[in-house]
């Protein structure tokens, strides 16, 4: 074990009611995507959760697909999977930064998302990270989504209002007297 760094992994969360996750994958590098999917599916099933899978053309389409699913479906969590390998242009930086930023913004809005979009320098790095028997980043992304879901359920899904909130649900017009007219 000399020279090998060890990382702590949280225990798998348990759920008292069913959980369903959506895996959104960009299969641009099909073999790498398949390994990421295998790792994610194994982790989701080990937690006793269900899943669906959809494919999108590329990593930039993953956040919009998750955003649409968040508004139009009833999934409890989301797993983003894909791979971006550095090329000869700055397109790599755009795809990495914008897909990550999109996922982070959705997460800050309350969606439970595990980010398994690999951003690597070369194919060999991607193969190692995607392999379920090696770094298993697909499984790690699924675990992240499951942990966020467990936190959301623990905190009861209550949402605090943002911005101006009136003292009551009744809006009063700016007229004199005790007129209870509402707008």
């Amino acid at each position: 074990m000399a020279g090998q760094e060890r990382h702590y992994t949280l225990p798998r969360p348990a759920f008292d009611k069913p959980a369903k996750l959506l895996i959104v994958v960009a299969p641009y590098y099909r073999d790498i995507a398949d390994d990421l999917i295998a790792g994610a599916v194994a982790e989701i099933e080990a937690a006793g959760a269900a899943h669906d899978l959809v494919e999108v053309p590329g990593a930039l389409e993953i956040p919009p697909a998750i955003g649409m699913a968040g508004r139009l479906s009833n999934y409890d969590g989301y797993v983003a999977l894909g791979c971006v390998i550095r090329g000869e242009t700055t397109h790599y930086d755009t795809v990495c930064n914008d897909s990550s930023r999109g996922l982070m913004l959705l997460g800050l809005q309350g969606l439970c998302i595990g980010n398994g979009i690999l951003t690597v320098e070369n194919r060999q790095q991607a193969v190692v990270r995607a392999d379920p028997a090696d770094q298993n980043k697909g499984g790690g992304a699924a675990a992240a989504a499951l942990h966020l879901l467990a936190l959301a359920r623990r905190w009861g899904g209550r949402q605090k209002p943002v911005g101006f909130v009136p003292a009551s649900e009744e809006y009063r017009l700016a007229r004199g007297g005790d007129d209870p007219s509402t707008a």
Side-chain angles (χ1 to χ4, degrees):
M1 281 282 181
Q4 286 192 357
E5 189 173 339
R6 296 184 53 94
H7 300 113
Y8 175 73
T9 303
L10 293 173
R12 185 176 290 123
F15 298 98
D16 58 353
K17 57 184 181 179
K20 187 170 186 181
L21 279 69
L22 177 65
I23 300 170
V24 180
V25 63
Y28 189 79
Y29 301 102
R30 179 88 257 171
D31 59 326
I32 294 167
D34 287 344
D35 277 352
L36 290 168
I37 293 166
V41 167
E43 184 63 26
I44 291 167
E45 290 177 352
H51 70 278
D52 284 335
L53 174 83
V54 296
E55 294 183 347
V56 296
L60 287 176
E61 290 75 37
I62 294 173
I66 290 174
M68 285 187 286
R71 288 186 306 277
L72 303 172
S73 70
N74 62 347
Y75 293 100
D76 299 302
Y78 305 88
V79 182
L81 301 177
C83 178
V84 185
I85 299 175
R86 186 179 296 279
E88 297 176 358
T89 68
T90 58
H91 184 65
Y92 170 87
D93 297 314
T94 299
V95 175
C96 294
N97 292 333
D98 289 351
S99 61
S100 178
R101 184 177 302 109
L103 294 175
M104 183 57 68
L105 290 172
L106 291 168
L108 291 171
Q109 292 173 18
L111 296 183
C112 302
I113 303 172
N115 183 354
I117 301 175
L118 304 179
T119 54
V120 296
E121 298 295 320
N122 56 57
R123 173 172 264 287
Q124 185 54 39
Q125 289 177 349
V127 168
V128 168
R129 284 161 178 75
D131 185 353
D134 202 333
Q135 290 191 17
N136 192 20
K137 295 299 183 180
L146 290 164
H147 281 285
L148 289 171
L149 174 56
L151 284 176
R153 288 186 176 178
R154 175 179 168 191
W155 292 326
R158 291 180 307 219
Q159 293 193 5
K160 295 180 181 177
V162 177
F164 172 76
V165 179
S168 72
E169 293 181 19
E170 185 176 277
Y171 291 87
R172 296 187 181 264
L173 295 178
R175 294 190 251 198
D178 294 324
D179 186 3
S181 300
T182 58

